[in-house]
Amino acid sequence: MKAQVGDRLIVEGAHTGEGRRIGVIVELRHPGGEPPYVVRWEGAEHESLVFPGPDAHVEAGRGREAALPAS
């Protein structure tokens, strides 16, 4: 998994009834974009250091979408 600042980290709920968490990556700890990431979670007023698991994926931030090749 690789990301850039401004990308969204989406973590699916691991258990029934657990909602999806969405946050914006605000800081990288490795220059190559590997985890962990500092994430500001939507609907929360805090940031946390995240080591994403297999239930997470990265979605390109709005500023990068135009630069990505069409699939």
Side-chain angles (χ1 to χ4, degrees), residues 5-57:
V5 170
D7 289 352
R8 294 184 347 148
L9 181 67
I10 301 170
V11 181
E12 302 297 340
H15 304 287
T16 303
E18 206 173 51
R20 160 191 283 197
R21 294 182 68 196
I22 301 172
V24 176
I25 297 171
V26 295
E27 182 182 328
L28 301 176
R29 294 296 171 103
H30 298 285
E34 298 87 5
Y37 308 121
V38 177
V39 176
R40 175 172 291 278
W41 297 105
E42 289 183 1
E45 293 299 320
H46 74 279
E47 297 173 355
S48 58
L49 183 64
V50 179
F51 293 83
D55 57 342
H57 65 276

